[in-house]
Amino acid sequence: MNRSDLTQDAGRILVGFQSEATIEFSVEAATLLASATRSEMVGMFVEDDALIELADLPIFQPLVSGAPSPHAITGQTVVAAYARAEIVCRRLLSAHADRAQVRWSYLRERGKLPAAIRRLAMANDFIVVSGEMQGFGARQLIDELRASPTKVQGVLVTGARAEIAQAGPVIAIDDGDEKGVQTVKLADRIRKLRDTSLVLLVIAGTDGEADQIIRRAKSLLGSDAPLSAHRLPRGSPELTAAATRQFNPSFVVADRQGEPFVDDKAVLALLRASRAPVLLLS
């Protein structure tokens, strides 16, 4: 596969860590995207320096519950906990990358995770954002999506393992703009890696427009591709979310500059309905 078939120039998949809790699904989704784009996966563990400093203040001396003998949390114990978590994250990233034969590297620094990832991001990179918060509904998730550099190729929002349909189809959402070509090609590459089918959600204002989008997808993928197309009207993000939920996908690829992402409410509705990794191309 020529890299230009999917991206302008395959960059990196940037995965940020601040804890070892619930990271495996993010790493799995990032590894799948790295395989599909033949990109390097870059892990970054970020220690929250404000938390370390706060733990050393006299007014902040919480006790560790559940320990054999209660003891105070200090800056030193927080740093030690970060060190243990960093080892787990690095091992998990390397294990998944090596198994998938994906190039990888690893960084460690202090600061705030979202800001550190944005500083690291370059043109054509993909950023992985954890959407593990309940129902993808946290304001923080929308803020992170808004703050993502426009120069990156896309943002991969990952969810909770308990909600993923491992055998479900890959969904591509195409509203007919130029980005639809990359959306369909990348979705098809991912579905091949997952050995599943591809569902094309066609968002169009007329039957003629929908026919044109479907013809373009078939010309890109070939007549033998396991593709099923489903038409949805423009201006109805709730119907797109409902259709996504109905297919119970294992992965979703869409253009975050087009439909159905007219506002924050529409974005969150699709993320909740997907219950799977959602790649929003810039």
Side-chain angles (χ1 to χ4, degrees), residues 146-220:
R146 283 180 171 175
S148 299
T150 56
K151 62 186 176 184
V152 300
Q153 288 207 71
V155 178
L156 175 61
V157 183
T158 65
R161 173 182 295 278
E163 297 181 333
I164 183 67
Q166 293 290 350
V170 172
I171 288 180
I173 301 176
D174 189 356
D175 65 353
D177 63 8
E178 293 182 2
K179 185 64 68 173
V181 172
Q182 182 183 356
T183 299
V184 171
K185 284 186 174 182
L186 188 47
D188 186 58
R189 181 66 180 174
I190 292 170
R191 76 93 189 155
K192 288 178 180 177
L193 290 171
R194 295 193 60 84
D195 190 24
T196 187
S197 59
L198 178 63
V199 172
L200 179 66
L201 297 186
V202 180
I203 301 178
T206 65
D207 287 340
E209 184 181 355
D211 290 340
Q212 185 176 1
I213 295 172
I214 295 170
R215 283 196 300 269
R216 182 176 70 175
K218 290 183 176 179
S219 68
L220 292 170

Side-chain angles (χ1 to χ4, degrees), residues 20-170:
E20 75 276 26
T22 66
I23 65 166
E24 186 169 1
F25 184 54
S26 292
V27 173
E28 287 182 356
T31 304
L32 180 61
L33 180 58
S35 296
T37 57
R38 297 184 181 177
S39 303
E40 177 186 3
M41 190 157 53
V42 179
M44 172 182 277
F45 191 91
V46 181
E47 300 176 356
D48 190 332
D49 49 359
L51 180 60
I52 295 171
E53 295 173 2
L54 183 63
D56 275 331
L57 295 177
I59 61 172
F60 184 77
Q61 290 296 318
L63 300 179
V64 177
S65 61
S69 57
H71 59 277
I73 295 177
T74 66
Q76 185 175 1
T77 61
V78 172
V79 169
Y82 274 137
R84 292 190 296 271
E86 189 269 338
I87 292 173
V88 173
C89 293
R90 184 187 181 100
R91 287 177 177 172
L92 184 65
L93 181 77
S94 64
H96 280 277
D98 291 344
R99 191 179 307 123
Q101 298 183 320
V102 167
R103 292 177 292 118
W104 67 278
S105 58
Y106 199 84
L107 303 169
R108 181 177 178 178
E109 67 172 70
R110 287 190 178 181
K112 295 296 183 182
L113 180 56
I117 291 293
R118 288 195 292 271
R119 287 195 303 271
L120 179 65
M122 298 189 300
N124 299 324
D125 287 343
F126 292 92
I127 294 176
V128 179
V129 174
S130 176
E132 65 194 11
M133 292 160 283
Q134 182 65 34
F136 292 94
R139 185 76 248 167
Q140 180 185 357
L141 178 57
I142 288 295
D143 291 342
E144 288 190 29
L145 289 175
R146 283 180 171 175
S148 299
T150 56
K151 62 186 176 184
V152 300
Q153 288 207 71
V155 178
L156 175 61
V157 183
T158 65
R161 173 182 295 278
E163 297 181 333
I164 183 67
Q166 293 290 350
V170 172

Side-chain angles (χ1 to χ4, degrees), residues 256-272:
R256 66 170 170 161
Q257 302 301 326
E259 292 218 31
F261 307 108
V262 292
D263 53 34
D264 294 349
K265 182 179 179 180
V267 174
L268 289 175
L270 180 68
L271 293 175
R272 291 193 189 102

